[in-house]
Amino acid sequence: MSLTAAVVGGGPGGLTAAAALHARGVDVHVYERGEALREQGVGMHLGPNGTRLLRRLGLGPRLAEAAVRPDALEVRAFHNGAQVAVQEMGEAWERQFRAPYLTVHRGDLHRMLAGLLPAARVHTGKDLTGFREGPDGVLLDFADGTTAEADVLIGADGVHSAVRRAVAGEDAPVYSGNSALRGLVDAADVPGLDPSRMYMFAGPAARALCYPVSGGRQFTYVVVVPAAEGDAESWTSATDRADLDSVLAGWAPQVREVVAAAGEVRRWALYDRAPLERWSTRRTTLLGDAAHPMLPHHGQGANQAIEDGVALAVCLGEADAGADGTAAALRRYESVRRPHTTRVQLGSRTAQPPGKEEKDSMANNNGNNINNAAANVNWILDNDVEANLNNNNANNNRNNVDSNNNNLNDNAA
């Protein structure tokens, strides 16, 4: 019997899961709370662990047009812009990790993923108010009075996930002590920055990262600053450009170009949540920020959601529609993903761009420290969750064949 799946949430993680399930013949529908399927925000990082999966979904050519493969990350002195260290990326990282490291506008990636699904599979204006699991499936209730049924429910509804609360109970956000000021500027307005490279400026009380998106036509900037705790977890709180100007007063000319070119500035209070002890019931599971909201210091939030989506599709693509089949698939998915994302999530709490002491150390060691810092996340960038699951399937099949052969030999004897 064919499996049916309901994905609640139309962000990158939910759309990746839906696209990967659709490619495997699963009858999948996406239910998005917003009245239109769109993604706000600025730029994002796609590590090789994410891009290799997106390429397999058929997005390679579109990523090549809209994203940027940075040649290098430059660390520069915050006060005068002098180069302190360089981490080569580009072709070197693509060879090392078997896929490129890319930077892309969130809206561009969102449109690519949405394009992998038939329009009839995506339903907007669907605000989930509750759901009930039964012996034959899950019944979803929406605020507009409509319902939907599926064999399995996938909660991809973000950091304020209603599905998470139902599965794991209420929990409190954990504030990092920092917030991020961020936005977009046109590359033509910041001539001091090369749109083929990423830049980090580490000051005594703030850190600024600039990286190209939109095929190199724009830069995303992210300035991390200590801040009093905000009122709520939010990606899109507006702030005044004067806040950006005051934080970066007296910084390098390249940074001042960014300030001068900045239009709308958004403040992102940096929260995460404690890792969950479980993600799933027999017919319901979580992915992405609904499962493991994390701080941005590893640049892995979207990548881990993409990994979740593909891993879940691999597991469910082999399951039958019965409760035992879905429960086994969700147990397998969670057993693979939860330990890995917990490690990434907790590592993101302690990973910080270099401050003054680290900057001085890198200058004295010809940049070796930045290379060492990059090596610390090799295990993240090198991960191929799809291949790992498929290899496990092959090993299990070989073990079953060997066991059957042994049984035949025993019977023949």
Side-chain angles (χ1 to χ4, degrees), residues 33-119:
R33 179 176 60 184
E35 294 299 326
L37 194 63
R38 62 178 181 269
E39 180 71 14
Q40 296 180 335
V42 287
M44 59 187 290
H45 302 262
L46 288 175
N49 53 312
T51 58
R52 66 171 56 92
L53 303 178
L54 296 174
R55 281 177 159 186
R56 290 174 192 157
L57 288 173
L59 293 181
R62 295 200 62 191
L63 285 169
E65 293 176 1
V68 177
R69 188 186 71 172
D71 293 335
L73 167 64
E74 293 188 19
V75 177
R76 290 179 172 250
F78 82 96
H79 61 293
N80 63 8
Q83 188 182 95
V84 173
V86 178
Q87 169 66 62
E88 297 298 332
M89 299 171 69
E91 184 178 350
W93 274 26
E94 185 161 358
R95 285 196 308 269
Q96 179 178 354
F97 297 112
R98 309 172 310 287
Y101 192 109
L102 303 176
T103 52
V104 65
H105 192 288
R106 291 184 67 90
D108 288 338
L109 178 63
H110 196 259
R111 284 187 289 273
M112 292 180 208
L113 289 167
L116 296 175
L117 291 168

Side-chain angles (χ1 to χ4, degrees), residues 341-395:
T341 58
T342 295
R343 186 181 173 193
V344 178
Q345 189 180 13
L346 295 178
S348 295
R349 285 183 171 181
T350 57
Q352 297 287 342
K356 183 178 186 303
E357 294 81 5
E358 291 86 352
K359 177 175 70 70
D360 292 342
S361 177
M362 286 187 293
N364 294 331
N365 289 281
N366 297 318
N368 289 334
N369 284 27
I370 195 170
N371 295 325
N372 293 338
N376 290 337
V377 297
N378 281 2
W379 61 275
I380 301 176
L381 304 182
D382 202 45
N383 190 48
D384 189 335
V385 67
E386 185 175 20
N388 294 342
L389 284 165
N390 289 334
N391 288 339
N392 287 340
N393 284 346
N395 291 334

Side-chain angles (χ1 to χ4, degrees), residues 294-377:
M294 59 185 66
L295 299 177
H297 304 311
H298 278 334
Q300 278 293 311
N303 292 279
Q304 293 306 305
I306 290 166
E307 285 191 6
D308 289 346
V310 171
L312 185 56
V314 171
C315 295
L316 287 174
E318 301 163 356
D320 62 52
D324 290 342
T326 59
L330 298 185
R331 283 196 303 271
R332 183 184 179 209
Y333 159 69
E334 185 173 335
S335 71
V336 169
R337 292 302 298 154
R338 192 162 60 85
H340 184 83
T341 58
T342 295
R343 186 181 173 193
V344 178
Q345 189 180 13
L346 295 178
S348 295
R349 285 183 171 181
T350 57
Q352 297 287 342
K356 183 178 186 303
E357 294 81 5
E358 291 86 352
K359 177 175 70 70
D360 292 342
S361 177
M362 286 187 293
N364 294 331
N365 289 281
N366 297 318
N368 289 334
N369 284 27
I370 195 170
N371 295 325
N372 293 338
N376 290 337
V377 297

Side-chain angles (χ1 to χ4, degrees), residues 157-173:
D157 46 342
V159 70
H160 299 292
S161 170
V163 182
R164 176 189 175 107
R165 289 195 298 274
V167 170
E170 294 282 353
D171 62 347

Side-chain angles (χ1 to χ4, degrees), residues 256-309:
R256 297 304 303 169
E257 286 180 352
V258 172
V259 174
E264 184 179 61
V265 181
R266 294 285 177 173
R267 182 181 292 274
W268 174 21
L270 299 183
Y271 289 87
D272 69 357
R273 295 188 179 222
L276 294 177
E277 294 184 359
R278 71 166 186 155
W279 294 357
S280 308
T281 63
R282 290 176 65 78
R283 290 189 178 273
T284 302
T285 196
L286 306 170
L287 66 73
D289 282 347
H292 46 73
M294 59 185 66
L295 299 177
H297 304 311
H298 278 334
Q300 278 293 311
N303 292 279
Q304 293 306 305
I306 290 166
E307 285 191 6
D308 289 346

